[in-house]
Amino acid sequence: VSDDAGGGGTITLSRRAAGPVLARVLGVLGARAELPVDRVSDLLVVADLIAGAHDDDGGAVRVEFATAARRVDLVVGPLADGAAQRLLDQPQVAGVALLPRLADEVELVGGPGERHVRLRFG
Amino acid sequence: VTTVPERLGLSLPALPENVLVARQAVTGFCEALAFPVAVIENVRLAVTEACANVVVHAYAKDAVEHLELDATAVPGGVVVVVCDCGRGVGDEPGAGLGLPLIDALTDAYELEALEAGGTRITMRFRDDDARIDASV
């Protein structure tokens, strides 16, 4: 995650709360970074994708974040292999996975059982 | 069957803009738990006050350190802990309304000076207890 004066941070939360919390937090980060409103909307969709990718098995959702001028960076994980793949591949619209279309950069890093997905917006 | 507690953890630099991040995060957390709107208003206002206290009072000027927030659902409510590793509660001038407001908004609260330095405030809210209806 890139560094910035506005401050990066980490959020850890249970699966049930992930969607509502991440939508609010990512919305704030997008506005802080002065992203265009359509990109802020993209972040709100991504919040739901992150929440939906996690199994409802009691595991925690963890997201590191940082903002800079017109840029938001996220690192999601650690993720189980299945969750990382779901985040990258699902859901699809007209056969196209959403996340790679919404983010400007998507990178899967880490080894089995310790996957992280790096995302850049802007 | 093991019941996993609903939990939110935040680690943020103690900067003014991050008070809003904490406020929004805890609001979303309480909404996910389906708390009454009036209780959510109390929680987020109290959290805003606690986090603002960290930003304004905990650290020396120009020293950007961390603010930690932990919210956990408990039977009948939620417990929110806000802590810092700063210089503790001092005699700095202020409006003096923060803690009385937190007292009014919470079911109970506890302010502790940490041995390693810093301050922790633990705030308890009952989900049936709208102490101040901030929506009015």
Side-chain angles (χ1 to χ4, degrees):
Chain A
V1 175
S2 64
D3 198 8
D4 71 317
T10 304
I11 185 164
T12 307
L13 66 169
S14 46
R15 164 70 181 79
R16 178 178 164 195
V21 171
L22 289 177
R24 284 176 171 272
V25 170
L26 297 190
V28 168
L29 298 179
R32 176 194 293 176
E34 298 186 354
L35 293 183
V37 69
D38 59 323
R39 303 311 313 278
V40 176
S41 295
D42 291 346
L43 282 169
L44 301 185
V45 175
V46 168
D48 284 338
L49 296 180
I50 293 170
H54 287 72
D55 292 321
D56 198 5
D57 59 358
V61 178
R62 185 175 186 278
V63 180
E64 290 178 55
F65 54 82
T67 59
R70 299 189 183 280
R71 173 171 173 160
V72 174
D73 290 284
L74 305 176
V75 178
V76 185
L79 292 159
D81 293 350
Q85 211 55 52
R86 268 197 304 280
L87 181 55
L88 295 175
D89 296 343
Q90 303 292 334
Q92 298 186 352
V93 175
V96 177
L98 275 184
L99 188 63
R101 297 297 292 266
L102 295 174
D104 295 279
E105 282 184 17
V106 179
E107 184 183 10
L108 179 63
V109 297
E114 283 283 317
R115 305 281 190 198
H116 291 76
V117 176
R118 292 180 182 270
L119 304 170
R120 179 175 66 79
F121 299 85
Chain B
V1 177
T2 303
T3 302
V4 178
E6 297 294 336
R7 183 179 168 269
L8 162 70
L10 269 178
S11 177
L12 301 163
L15 294 167
E17 54 265 45
N18 284 331
V19 175
L20 179 58
V21 174
R23 177 184 172 94
Q24 290 294 327
V26 81
T27 300
F29 183 70
C30 290
E31 285 177 347
L33 298 176
F35 280 8
V37 172
V39 175
I40 295 173
E41 296 282 358
N42 291 346
V43 173
R44 69 182 182 179
L45 182 53
V47 165
T48 301
E49 283 296 324
C51 293
N53 278 345
V54 172
V55 170
V56 174
H57 299 296
Y59 301 108
K61 191 178 178 185
D62 298 330
V64 178
E65 300 290 346
H66 268 71
L67 176 164
E68 307 283 339
L69 181 150
D70 190 282
T72 306
V74 297
V78 63
V79 176
V80 184
V81 179
V82 174
C83 67
D84 63 72
C85 49
R87 55 193 173 189
V89 180
D91 298 325
E92 283 210 3
L97 294 174
L99 289 178
L101 184 57
I102 288 171
D103 186 36
L105 293 166
T106 58
D107 182 51
Y109 84 98
E110 182 180 9
L111 187 67
E112 302 165 85
L114 303 177
E115 275 189 26
T119 305
R120 175 170 58 209
I121 184 166
T122 302
M123 300 175 283
R124 301 171 195 280
F125 302 85
R126 289 206 311 262
D127 63 7
D128 60 351
D129 187 14
R131 301 183 70 81
I132 292 179
D133 186 352
S135 64
V136 174

